[in-house]
Amino acid sequence: MAEKAKQQQPRFAFSFPVTFVLFAIAYIYFSTVFVFIDRWLGLFSSPGIANAAVFTAIAVMSLFSYRAAISTDPGRVPATYTPDIEDNTTPLHEIKRKGGDLRFCQKCSHYKPPRAHHCRVCKRCVLRMDHHCIWINNCVGHANYKIFFIFVTYAAIACIYSMILLVGSLAYDGLPDDENNGGSYRTVYVVSVILLAPLSISLCVLLGWHIYLILHNKTTIELCWQYYEGVRALWLQEKGGSIYKHPYDLGPYENLTSVLGPNILSWLWPTANHIGSGLRFRTVYDLTKGASTSK
């Protein structure tokens, strides 16, 4: 219970990137609802109310998941963790490329579980570390990866939705040219385009990137830098002349449910109650062992 409470402890340290994200969320929301929707559909018309309600729901979920991604600890390695190389239920142990020893963090003075890595910013090892994200002032790891992914999903949807409403507003009424409020409206449109265009592109690219990672059960570290640190299975397969396959890739559906959960109704909710301890992960060897047992 104490460990779980520690993982949910909020992080209140000031961060300029986090402040910028909060400002961007607030600006996009108010400009979308009170300018784009109001000028195109009318805020108090039926289409206007419907679009404002839908966009508000998306914005609330974006803010809620963003808060959860910031405050949720990505996963700590227990001080008592020691890999058991004689455990038959664990067919794969990650070892160092040089020397073949079990991975040990000299800075934290403990062994590293599979897929765990040391974060130089957080100054500790993180379970199933994906990357350190300055935009949430936190690492993205085992305990908050799904939450981070859900935030990126809602944020991308919100930006695309806002862009559609912005374009529709301009197509319907054009840029205002009256002297009373035309200047302020023009500023809102110009700032919104400058903010929304790069955000929409970058968030869609980021979302596509993590969809690919999820479907292949890989982390950014594992894919970009091939940071397997000499997985024992890689050595054995290379010696045998066979082609290496990522040991945690269980197939698209299994990979998807391992991150988002087995219940499809909870896939878009920023919680991760199904993830387990993060000290051991299913591998293709588990599937092979299960298949041979069933025969």
Side-chain angles (χ1 to χ4, degrees):
M1 292 295 292
E3 183 70 20
K4 186 175 182 180
K6 182 185 288 186
Q7 289 186 358
Q8 296 296 330
Q9 184 178 356
R11 300 159 60 93
F12 293 108
F14 174 79
S15 169
F16 176 77
V18 171
T19 304
F20 174 79
V21 172
L22 293 175
F23 167 79
I25 292 174
Y27 185 87
I28 291 172
Y29 175 76
F30 284 104
S31 61
T32 300
V33 174
F34 297 105
V35 178
F36 309 151
I37 292 178
D38 189 33
R39 294 191 67 236
W40 182 17
L41 304 170
L43 191 56
F44 297 102
S45 66
S46 296
I49 292 174
N51 278 275
V54 172
F55 190 79
T56 298
I58 297 172
V60 168
M61 289 304 301
S62 298
L63 193 60
F64 179 70
S65 54
Y66 184 62
R67 172 67 173 80
I70 293 174
S71 62
T72 302
D73 191 287
R76 297 175 179 267
V77 179
T80 57
Y81 172 77
T82 302
D84 186 0
I85 60 175
E86 297 182 355
D87 184 6
N88 294 329
T89 62
T90 306
L92 182 146
H93 295 280
E94 293 184 356
I95 57 178
K96 294 180 179 179
R97 287 181 177 176
K98 295 182 179 180
D101 297 325
L102 292 172
R103 298 194 307 143
F104 187 86
C105 182
Q106 299 293 340
K107 296 179 180 178
C108 297
S109 298
H110 59 58
Y111 287 99
K112 293 180 182 179
R115 316 183 82 178
H117 299 279
H118 186 87
C119 176
R120 290 177 292 179
V121 180
C122 297
K123 295 181 172 59
R124 63 183 178 87
C125 287
V126 176
L127 296 175
R128 195 189 180 276
M129 181 177 172
D130 187 85
H131 69 287
H132 183 89
C133 180
I134 63 170
W135 300 107
I136 65 172
N137 194 31
N138 197 3
C139 267
V140 178
H142 176 66
N144 67 347
Y145 181 78
K146 178 194 172 183
I147 298 171
F148 172 80
F149 175 76
I150 295 303
F151 163 67
V152 173
T153 301
Y154 281 119
I157 293 173
C159 286
I160 295 172
Y161 196 176
S162 181
M163 279 292 293
I164 293 173
L165 292 170
L166 184 155
V167 173
S169 175
L170 288 176
Y172 175 75
D173 204 20
L175 278 174
D177 54 5
D178 57 295
E179 297 180 357
N180 294 330
N181 56 15
S184 59
Y185 275 146
R186 284 175 181 270
T187 301
V188 171
Y189 278 101
V190 170
V191 173
S192 296
V193 170
I194 294 174
L195 189 62
L196 281 171
L199 270 180
S200 299
I201 294 172
S202 59
L203 285 171
C204 286
V205 170
L206 184 62
L207 179 61
W209 169 260
H210 281 284
I211 289 175
Y212 175 84
L213 290 179
I214 290 173
L215 292 178
H216 292 81
N217 205 347
K218 293 183 178 181
T219 65
T220 298
I221 292 176
E222 291 168 346
L223 186 61
C224 287
W225 292 280
Q226 297 296 309
Y227 202 90
Y228 303 117
E229 290 191 323
V231 177
R232 181 174 298 171
L234 174 58
W235 282 13
L236 294 175
Q237 286 189 309
E238 285 182 343
K239 288 181 179 179
S242 56
I243 300 175
Y244 171 74
K245 180 181 179 181
H246 185 54
Y248 303 106
D249 188 354
L250 308 177
Y253 179 75
E254 289 289 338
N255 296 338
L256 190 66
T257 55
S258 68
V259 173
L260 299 182
N263 185 359
I264 192 172
L265 298 178
S266 66
W267 281 7
L268 292 180
W269 189 253
T271 57
N273 300 323
H274 64 284
I275 56 175
S277 66
L279 301 177
R280 185 190 184 281
F281 298 92
R282 293 181 64 204
T283 67
V284 291
Y285 306 105
D286 295 310
L287 299 181
T288 303
K289 184 178 178 181
S292 61
T293 303
S294 63
K295 292 180 181 180

